[in-house]
Amino acid sequence: MTEVAITGAQALVRSLEQVGADVVFGIPGGAILPAYDPLYDSTKVRHILVRHEQGAGHAAEGYAQASGKVGVCMATSGPGATNLVTPIADAYMDSVPIVAITGQVGRSFIGTDAFQEADISGITLPITKHNFLVQSADDIPRAIAEAFHLASTGRPGPVLVDLPKDVLQESTVFAWPPRLDLPGYRPVTRPPGKQIREAARLIAGARRPVLYVGGGVLKARATAELRQLAELTGIPVVTTLMARGAFPDSHPQHLGMPGMHGSVSAVTALQKADLLIALGTRFDDRVTGKLDTFAPHAAIIHADIDPAEIGKNRVADVPIVGDVREVLLELVPAMEAEFDADHRADLTGWWRQIDQWRETYPLGYEEPPDGTLAPQYVIERLGKIAGPETIFAAGVGQHQMWAAQFIGYENPYTWLNSGGAGTMGYAVPAAMGAKVACPDKLVWAIDGDGCFQMTNQELATCAIEGIPIKVAVINNGNLGMVRQWQTLFYSERYSQTDLGTHKHRIPDFVKLADALGCVGLRCETKADVDATIEKAMAINDQPVVVDFTVGKDAMVWPMVAAGASNDDIEAARDIRPVYEGDE
């Protein structure tokens, strides 16, 4: 152990170097300024100067989701810290490992309503896995080490470290490694053998089982084990919005995405199942619909590393607390033992029914009758041309759902989106973070004209820092998903959803791209879609923005209305619910 007398700020930078943080997204300001001086000299930590703290937080998320490492963002006190609240909440909902470092007013000023003071520890208490208000420079190394450990272990999530300015300025003796002091924090990773055996027994006897796969499978790096279990058992697989890419879309056992805008076959299979094997998923309301009507005939095996999720929304018949990868590693041999003992239900009839649903209700869309460009076509072609190795980051709304539906995800960690919080403005900064994490990968942000106007200033960051992401703006001139609801549920009274990006071309996204140091392109016809995408793909030394001007009336189908039962899924407007007569 080496000991050197330095400032708290220097201890912070050295601690970041020791834990392996190679990138920090942030903006300096008064309270955090002492940290920026030693950061200037670091050869191991790259700082990327964003244009808004929200962009720093989402970039840290994108970095973490694409790389599997902990993302880091930094902001000053007061409004700098509160601007991080949205991405922190987003990371909390989607279990993304980030560490947010904030400056704070000096210790003697805390509680006096000092200039740029905000109780960010108190504000973020419900949306962080843990947070620290560091009271001594001596505690900085331990706080950083513990923050990274907490963020990345167990159920991942955001951790905040709040650093008063005078703590950064005072002298300390730096020692590494620090002793972690986290009493009571012992995530259970190894599942109980009894529960595994009981799960295997239930699976072997089920006649209509479904593997209900959530984002926890990706967090656990368990995609290979999932595929092994699926192929061993022959059970159909559904992947939630947060799990897209965890199981290849092209695999014959994959039924697609369940939920409000899921495929009919995925939603129906869950409803008709006699057993759900829920892996790293939380029975979210967007998947279950009206909860008391969800999968009414199914027994539940629920495996999750977070014990608080087990039984939270749906009682589990076999609750399994543990890391999903560890669960699958033990479940596979347990299933083999069941099969060796000739315990195996015949799934032929189940697959016959599923294939009938797949054939009757394929995912699709209609060309707009007014001759405008179909947004689904744009996204479908983008997926085909960019290819399955591409990382896609989506904003929130119609374009997000179409990107989840019409792009084929063959590989894990190629789909980034804001699932739980549904944060507009996520795509551009998250794509920036992903490109920093994976500089050799092609990264496309798929954004709406509403989302894009929330965080597009980060394209200036991308241009200056040499981060050549590509952005497809699905420009329908409206807040599309809100407009869809107004069409369906508010008698076509379009209150405050016309953004003016069609009618007035304000802003002109091509000119805006140019102003932000990017290449701007526009596509308005189906005939030009492929050539425009290929032109964007050929530009690799600058960020590219493509304004795909699409029709305003396209809707996302299938759909389960909010609060409705999944039994009432509609394949398209004015089409009967799919369950009439289907058994």
Side-chain angles (χ1 to χ4, degrees), residues 382 385-387 390-394 407 414 416 427 431 441-447 468-473 521 532-537 544-546 548:
L382 179 56
I385 294 169
T390 302
I391 295 173
F392 293 97
I407 292 174
T414 55
L416 316 180
K441 288 250 188 180
L442 178 62
V443 179
W444 272 95
I446 298 175
D447 225 351
I469 66 169
K470 304 181 195 302
V471 184
V473 182
L521 305 172
T532 306
I533 293 171
E534 284 160 2
K535 185 174 181 180
M537 298 268 286
V544 183
V545 176
V546 186
F548 288 102

Side-chain angles (χ1 to χ4, degrees), residues 21-362:
D22 52 1
V23 180
V24 174
F25 301 91
I27 302 180
I32 196 66
L33 202 56
Y36 273 81
D37 189 63
L39 192 59
Y40 185 76
D41 296 322
S42 177
T43 58
K44 295 180 180 177
V45 181
R46 175 188 180 187
H47 182 276
I48 293 177
L49 177 62
V50 297
R51 298 304 181 265
H52 191 287
E53 290 89 356
Q54 183 181 351
H58 291 320
E61 285 189 277
Y63 175 94
Q65 286 174 294
S67 68
K69 297 171 66 177
V70 176
V72 187
C73 53
M74 189 181 291
T76 195
S77 63
T82 60
N83 280 344
L84 286 176
V85 168
T86 294
I88 289 171
D90 192 273
Y92 187 74
M93 288 287 276
D94 287 348
S95 305
V96 181
I98 66 170
V99 170
I101 297 167
T102 52
Q104 183 55 275
V105 300
R107 284 168 292 185
S108 64
F109 293 101
I110 291 175
T112 69
D113 293 332
F115 177 66
Q116 289 193 334
E117 181 188 0
D119 177 12
I120 196 62
S121 296
I123 289 167
T124 60
L125 192 64
I127 54 168
T128 49
K129 194 172 173 184
H130 191 65
N131 63 35
F132 301 85
L133 174 58
V134 180
Q135 297 286 353
S136 166
D138 296 340
D139 294 334
I140 288 174
R142 180 173 56 83
I144 293 297
E146 288 177 356
F148 273 72
H149 178 70
L150 287 165
S152 60
T153 57
R155 180 178 184 171
V159 179
L160 180 128
V161 181
D162 197 27
L163 296 162
K165 186 172 185 178
D166 59 326
V167 169
L168 290 170
Q169 291 170 321
E170 73 181 9
S171 183
T172 184
V173 174
F174 181 75
W176 195 271
R179 185 178 67 84
L180 302 190
D181 184 20
L182 295 167
Y185 181 70
R186 294 182 183 85
V188 174
T189 58
R190 191 82 184 268
K194 181 184 176 184
Q195 304 298 87
I196 293 291
R197 290 190 296 275
E198 178 60 16
R201 187 187 66 78
L202 270 185
I203 295 168
R207 302 184 68 83
R208 299 188 308 279
V210 177
L211 281 160
Y212 165 27
V213 175
V217 169
L218 291 170
K219 300 296 188 299
R221 323 303 279 190
T223 57
E225 291 76 14
L226 168 65
R227 183 163 182 166
Q228 187 179 4
L229 177 67
E231 291 180 344
L232 172 67
T233 60
I235 294 174
V237 179
V238 302
T239 50
T240 67
L241 181 67
M242 291 306 300
R244 303 292 287 115
F247 194 75
D249 277 0
S250 62
H251 197 287
Q253 287 172 241
H254 191 234
L255 308 187
M257 179 177 73
M260 176 179 274
H261 295 295
S263 71
V264 170
S265 57
V267 173
T268 312
L270 289 176
Q271 288 300 97
K272 298 297 185 183
D274 64 358
L275 176 67
L276 299 187
I277 305 107
L279 302 171
T281 191
R282 57 190 179 86
F283 291 83
D284 169 69
D285 62 285
R286 280 301 194 258
V287 168
T288 66
K290 188 178 179 184
L291 185 60
D292 61 8
T293 67
F294 175 68
H297 311 296
I300 305 293
I301 297 166
H302 191 181
D304 202 285
I305 198 162
D306 184 354
E309 289 297 343
I310 308 286
K312 184 179 80 175
N313 293 327
R314 176 68 176 260
V315 173
D317 297 277
V318 182
I320 304 175
V321 177
D323 179 84
V324 171
R325 185 168 181 271
E326 297 283 339
V327 170
L328 290 169
L329 283 170
E330 296 200 18
L331 191 52
V332 166
M335 290 308 308
E336 289 172 335
E338 288 287 335
F339 294 161
D340 289 344
D342 205 25
H343 300 155
R344 184 170 197 156
D346 183 4
L347 303 185
T348 307
W350 181 225
W351 273 110
R352 189 183 304 119
Q353 176 68 84
I354 286 169
D355 288 338
Q356 182 184 330
W357 292 325
R358 287 206 273 204
E359 186 178 338
T360 307
Y361 302 102

Side-chain angles (χ1 to χ4, degrees), residues 463-514:
I464 288 171
E465 294 281 348
I467 307 168
I469 66 169
K470 304 181 195 302
V471 184
V473 182
I474 309 301
N475 176 9
N476 62 5
N478 283 268
L479 297 170
M481 190 62 88
V482 183
R483 189 179 194 276
Q484 175 167 334
W485 282 46
Q486 288 173 335
T487 300
L488 297 173
F489 309 120
Y490 293 89
S491 306
E492 299 183 10
R493 289 165 55 84
Y494 298 119
S495 175
Q496 305 306 314
T497 44
D498 187 337
L499 290 167
T501 50
H502 270 201
K503 199 180 298 178
H504 308 292
R505 202 163 274 177
I506 298 175
D508 182 320
F509 291 135
V510 174
K511 291 179 180 177
L512 180 62
D514 183 59

